[in-house]
Amino acid sequence: MLRYILSRLAQAILVLFVVATVVFGLSRASGNAADLFIPQDATDETKELVRHNLGLDKPILAQYGDYMTNLAQGDLGQSFAYRTDVRGLILKALPNTIQLGVTAFLIGSVFGVAM
């Protein structure tokens, strides 16, 4: 039984690693994130400063290492849309998400047993 649990845990860790890698790749393939933070008429110096502050001036492998390190420490970064900490946004939405999940589970269970 312990071997089965460890096997499933290893599979879950592998899936999380692959998902994190795909998310990193898609975020870099979608374009320059610094363009979201700066106005169109910004100077080249401003653009370079934003790229440096976001770590986008580093090589891609260094960016990936920083991304995985921050992710392992629970640092999910800043939201581009809300310009605030992502962890705070998730914690703010968590009670409603749990309530919705429990309600859906209860409704599904009642109808599932009835059918």
Side-chain angles (χ1 to χ4, degrees), residues 22-42:
V22 168
V23 167
F24 175 81
L26 289 175
S27 69
R28 294 308 184 262
S30 65
N32 188 358
D35 293 338
L36 299 173
F37 285 106
I38 54 177
Q40 295 288 340
D41 58 348

PDB file of all heavy atoms in Angstrom, residues 22-42:
ATOM      1  N   VAL A  22       5.033  23.931 -18.822  1.00  0.00           N
ATOM      2  CA  VAL A  22       4.197  24.343 -19.955  1.00  0.00           C
ATOM      3  C   VAL A  22       3.694  25.777 -19.743  1.00  0.00           C
ATOM      4  O   VAL A  22       3.711  26.586 -20.674  1.00  0.00           O
ATOM      5  CB  VAL A  22       3.025  23.359 -20.159  1.00  0.00           C
ATOM      6  CG1 VAL A  22       1.992  23.913 -21.123  1.00  0.00           C
ATOM      7  CG2 VAL A  22       3.542  22.021 -20.647  1.00  0.00           C
ATOM      8  N   VAL A  23       3.276  26.102 -18.523  1.00  0.00           N
ATOM      9  CA  VAL A  23       2.815  27.461 -18.238  1.00  0.00           C
ATOM     10  C   VAL A  23       3.941  28.458 -18.456  1.00  0.00           C
ATOM     11  O   VAL A  23       3.737  29.527 -19.051  1.00  0.00           O
ATOM     12  CB  VAL A  23       2.255  27.556 -16.799  1.00  0.00           C
ATOM     13  CG1 VAL A  23       2.074  28.997 -16.364  1.00  0.00           C
ATOM     14  CG2 VAL A  23       0.953  26.801 -16.696  1.00  0.00           C
ATOM     15  N   PHE A  24       5.141  28.134 -18.002  1.00  0.00           N
ATOM     16  CA  PHE A  24       6.285  29.016 -18.223  1.00  0.00           C
ATOM     17  C   PHE A  24       6.531  29.204 -19.715  1.00  0.00           C
ATOM     18  O   PHE A  24       6.712  30.324 -20.197  1.00  0.00           O
ATOM     19  CB  PHE A  24       7.544  28.451 -17.554  1.00  0.00           C
ATOM     20  CG  PHE A  24       8.777  29.253 -17.847  1.00  0.00           C
ATOM     21  CD1 PHE A  24       9.045  30.404 -17.129  1.00  0.00           C
ATOM     22  CD2 PHE A  24       9.651  28.869 -18.844  1.00  0.00           C
ATOM     23  CE1 PHE A  24      10.176  31.162 -17.411  1.00  0.00           C
ATOM     24  CE2 PHE A  24      10.790  29.612 -19.133  1.00  0.00           C
ATOM     25  CZ  PHE A  24      11.043  30.760 -18.406  1.00  0.00           C
ATOM     26  N   GLY A  25       6.534  28.118 -20.460  1.00  0.00           N
ATOM     27  CA  GLY A  25       6.779  28.194 -21.897  1.00  0.00           C
ATOM     28  C   GLY A  25       5.725  29.011 -22.624  1.00  0.00           C
ATOM     29  O   GLY A  25       6.046  29.842 -23.478  1.00  0.00           O
ATOM     30  N   LEU A  26       4.466  28.811 -22.278  1.00  0.00           N
ATOM     31  CA  LEU A  26       3.397  29.571 -22.933  1.00  0.00           C
ATOM     32  C   LEU A  26       3.454  31.048 -22.565  1.00  0.00           C
ATOM     33  O   LEU A  26       3.167  31.908 -23.405  1.00  0.00           O
ATOM     34  CB  LEU A  26       2.033  28.983 -22.560  1.00  0.00           C
ATOM     35  CG  LEU A  26       1.714  27.631 -23.160  1.00  0.00           C
ATOM     36  CD1 LEU A  26       0.384  27.109 -22.620  1.00  0.00           C
ATOM     37  CD2 LEU A  26       1.686  27.696 -24.675  1.00  0.00           C
ATOM     38  N   SER A  27       3.836  31.343 -21.336  1.00  0.00           N
ATOM     39  CA  SER A  27       3.918  32.751 -20.940  1.00  0.00           C
ATOM     40  C   SER A  27       5.054  33.457 -21.672  1.00  0.00           C
ATOM     41  O   SER A  27       4.953  34.638 -21.989  1.00  0.00           O
ATOM     42  CB  SER A  27       4.092  32.884 -19.431  1.00  0.00           C
ATOM     43  OG  SER A  27       5.366  32.434 -19.024  1.00  0.00           O
ATOM     44  N   ARG A  28       6.118  32.743 -21.969  1.00  0.00           N
ATOM     45  CA  ARG A  28       7.221  33.353 -22.708  1.00  0.00           C
ATOM     46  C   ARG A  28       6.934  33.385 -24.205  1.00  0.00           C
ATOM     47  O   ARG A  28       7.391  34.269 -24.898  1.00  0.00           O
ATOM     48  CB  ARG A  28       8.533  32.594 -22.457  1.00  0.00           C
ATOM     49  CG  ARG A  28       9.038  32.682 -21.035  1.00  0.00           C
ATOM     50  CD  ARG A  28       9.133  34.123 -20.562  1.00  0.00           C
ATOM     51  NE  ARG A  28       9.706  34.263 -19.251  1.00  0.00           N
ATOM     52  CZ  ARG A  28       9.010  34.408 -18.133  1.00  0.00           C
ATOM     53  NH1 ARG A  28       7.698  34.400 -18.156  1.00  0.00           N
ATOM     54  NH2 ARG A  28       9.617  34.560 -16.975  1.00  0.00           N
ATOM     55  N   ALA A  29       6.156  32.447 -24.699  1.00  0.00           N
ATOM     56  CA  ALA A  29       5.837  32.407 -26.125  1.00  0.00           C
ATOM     57  C   ALA A  29       4.773  33.432 -26.504  1.00  0.00           C
ATOM     58  O   ALA A  29       4.642  33.789 -27.673  1.00  0.00           O
ATOM     59  CB  ALA A  29       5.354  31.011 -26.511  1.00  0.00           C
ATOM     60  N   SER A  30       4.032  33.933 -25.523  1.00  0.00           N
ATOM     61  CA  SER A  30       2.937  34.855 -25.816  1.00  0.00           C
ATOM     62  C   SER A  30       3.412  36.279 -26.071  1.00  0.00           C
ATOM     63  O   SER A  30       2.618  37.144 -26.403  1.00  0.00           O
ATOM     64  CB  SER A  30       1.915  34.838 -24.683  1.00  0.00           C
ATOM     65  OG  SER A  30       2.500  35.333 -23.494  1.00  0.00           O
ATOM     66  N   GLY A  31       4.673  36.536 -25.886  1.00  0.00           N
ATOM     67  CA  GLY A  31       5.195  37.875 -26.150  1.00  0.00           C
ATOM     68  C   GLY A  31       5.944  38.426 -24.952  1.00  0.00           C
ATOM     69  O   GLY A  31       6.126  37.748 -23.942  1.00  0.00           O
ATOM     70  N   ASN A  32       6.343  39.675 -25.074  1.00  0.00           N
ATOM     71  CA  ASN A  32       7.122  40.327 -24.032  1.00  0.00           C
ATOM     72  C   ASN A  32       6.190  40.851 -22.945  1.00  0.00           C
ATOM     73  O   ASN A  32       5.367  41.737 -23.195  1.00  0.00           O
ATOM     74  CB  ASN A  32       7.941  41.467 -24.645  1.00  0.00           C
ATOM     75  CG  ASN A  32       8.919  42.058 -23.675  1.00  0.00           C
ATOM     76  OD1 ASN A  32       8.981  41.666 -22.516  1.00  0.00           O
ATOM     77  ND2 ASN A  32       9.702  43.004 -24.151  1.00  0.00           N
ATOM     78  N   ALA A  33       6.312  40.338 -21.739  1.00  0.00           N
ATOM     79  CA  ALA A  33       5.453  40.749 -20.638  1.00  0.00           C
ATOM     80  C   ALA A  33       5.700  42.193 -20.238  1.00  0.00           C
ATOM     81  O   ALA A  33       4.815  42.851 -19.691  1.00  0.00           O
ATOM     82  CB  ALA A  33       5.672  39.829 -19.438  1.00  0.00           C
ATOM     83  N   ALA A  34       6.870  42.707 -20.514  1.00  0.00           N
ATOM     84  CA  ALA A  34       7.182  44.097 -20.166  1.00  0.00           C
ATOM     85  C   ALA A  34       6.294  45.062 -20.935  1.00  0.00           C
ATOM     86  O   ALA A  34       5.999  46.157 -20.447  1.00  0.00           O
ATOM     87  CB  ALA A  34       8.648  44.392 -20.441  1.00  0.00           C
ATOM     88  N   ASP A  35       5.817  44.672 -22.103  1.00  0.00           N
ATOM     89  CA  ASP A  35       4.950  45.539 -22.894  1.00  0.00           C
ATOM     90  C   ASP A  35       3.615  45.793 -22.206  1.00  0.00           C
ATOM     91  O   ASP A  35       2.941  46.779 -22.496  1.00  0.00           O
ATOM     92  CB  ASP A  35       4.704  44.937 -24.277  1.00  0.00           C
ATOM     93  CG  ASP A  35       5.970  44.910 -25.124  1.00  0.00           C
ATOM     94  OD1 ASP A  35       6.894  45.695 -24.829  1.00  0.00           O
ATOM     95  OD2 ASP A  35       6.033  44.091 -26.057  1.00  0.00           O
ATOM     96  N   LEU A  36       3.208  44.916 -21.298  1.00  0.00           N
ATOM     97  CA  LEU A  36       1.960  45.106 -20.574  1.00  0.00           C
ATOM     98  C   LEU A  36       2.079  46.177 -19.496  1.00  0.00           C
ATOM     99  O   LEU A  36       1.071  46.741 -19.072  1.00  0.00           O
ATOM    100  CB  LEU A  36       1.520  43.787 -19.924  1.00  0.00           C
ATOM    101  CG  LEU A  36       1.241  42.637 -20.874  1.00  0.00           C
ATOM    102  CD1 LEU A  36       0.977  41.364 -20.096  1.00  0.00           C
ATOM    103  CD2 LEU A  36       0.065  42.958 -21.767  1.00  0.00           C
ATOM    104  N   PHE A  37       3.285  46.449 -19.031  1.00  0.00           N
ATOM    105  CA  PHE A  37       3.497  47.373 -17.931  1.00  0.00           C
ATOM    106  C   PHE A  37       3.810  48.794 -18.363  1.00  0.00           C
ATOM    107  O   PHE A  37       3.707  49.709 -17.557  1.00  0.00           O
ATOM    108  CB  PHE A  37       4.652  46.887 -17.045  1.00  0.00           C
ATOM    109  CG  PHE A  37       4.283  45.739 -16.177  1.00  0.00           C
ATOM    110  CD1 PHE A  37       4.732  44.476 -16.467  1.00  0.00           C
ATOM    111  CD2 PHE A  37       3.488  45.915 -15.069  1.00  0.00           C
ATOM    112  CE1 PHE A  37       4.399  43.408 -15.672  1.00  0.00           C
ATOM    113  CE2 PHE A  37       3.149  44.853 -14.268  1.00  0.00           C
ATOM    114  CZ  PHE A  37       3.602  43.597 -14.558  1.00  0.00           C
ATOM    115  N   ILE A  38       4.216  48.967 -19.586  1.00  0.00           N
ATOM    116  CA  ILE A  38       4.695  50.287 -19.990  1.00  0.00           C
ATOM    117  C   ILE A  38       3.801  50.869 -21.076  1.00  0.00           C
ATOM    118  O   ILE A  38       3.226  50.144 -21.885  1.00  0.00           O
ATOM    119  CB  ILE A  38       6.156  50.210 -20.487  1.00  0.00           C
ATOM    120  CG1 ILE A  38       6.300  49.166 -21.577  1.00  0.00           C
ATOM    121  CG2 ILE A  38       7.103  49.943 -19.361  1.00  0.00           C
ATOM    122  CD1 ILE A  38       7.674  49.078 -22.173  1.00  0.00           C
ATOM    123  N   PRO A  39       3.656  52.191 -21.091  1.00  0.00           N
ATOM    124  CA  PRO A  39       2.861  52.811 -22.160  1.00  0.00           C
ATOM    125  C   PRO A  39       3.578  52.725 -23.506  1.00  0.00           C
ATOM    126  O   PRO A  39       4.785  52.497 -23.572  1.00  0.00           O
ATOM    127  CB  PRO A  39       2.719  54.267 -21.698  1.00  0.00           C
ATOM    128  CG  PRO A  39       3.720  54.466 -20.625  1.00  0.00           C
ATOM    129  CD  PRO A  39       4.105  53.129 -20.095  1.00  0.00           C
ATOM    130  N   GLN A  40       2.830  52.922 -24.552  1.00  0.00           N
ATOM    131  CA  GLN A  40       3.371  52.813 -25.903  1.00  0.00           C
ATOM    132  C   GLN A  40       4.464  53.845 -26.173  1.00  0.00           C
ATOM    133  O   GLN A  40       5.398  53.588 -26.913  1.00  0.00           O
ATOM    134  CB  GLN A  40       2.253  52.989 -26.942  1.00  0.00           C
ATOM    135  CG  GLN A  40       1.219  51.898 -26.919  1.00  0.00           C
ATOM    136  CD  GLN A  40       1.744  50.590 -27.465  1.00  0.00           C
ATOM    137  OE1 GLN A  40       2.734  50.555 -28.182  1.00  0.00           O
ATOM    138  NE2 GLN A  40       1.089  49.499 -27.124  1.00  0.00           N
ATOM    139  N   ASP A  41       4.344  55.029 -25.566  1.00  0.00           N
ATOM    140  CA  ASP A  41       5.288  56.108 -25.849  1.00  0.00           C
ATOM    141  C   ASP A  41       6.459  56.156 -24.862  1.00  0.00           C
ATOM    142  O   ASP A  41       7.139  57.172 -24.766  1.00  0.00           O
ATOM    143  CB  ASP A  41       4.553  57.448 -25.867  1.00  0.00           C
ATOM    144  CG  ASP A  41       3.832  57.734 -24.559  1.00  0.00           C
ATOM    145  OD1 ASP A  41       3.708  56.809 -23.732  1.00  0.00           O
ATOM    146  OD2 ASP A  41       3.391  58.885 -24.375  1.00  0.00           O
ATOM    147  N   ALA A  42       6.714  55.075 -24.161  1.00  0.00           N
ATOM    148  CA  ALA A  42       7.808  55.045 -23.182  1.00  0.00           C
ATOM    149  C   ALA A  42       9.161  55.073 -23.889  1.00  0.00           C
ATOM    150  O   ALA A  42       9.303  54.597 -25.016  1.00  0.00           O
ATOM    151  CB  ALA A  42       7.702  53.799 -22.307  1.00  0.00           C
TER     152      ALA A  42
END
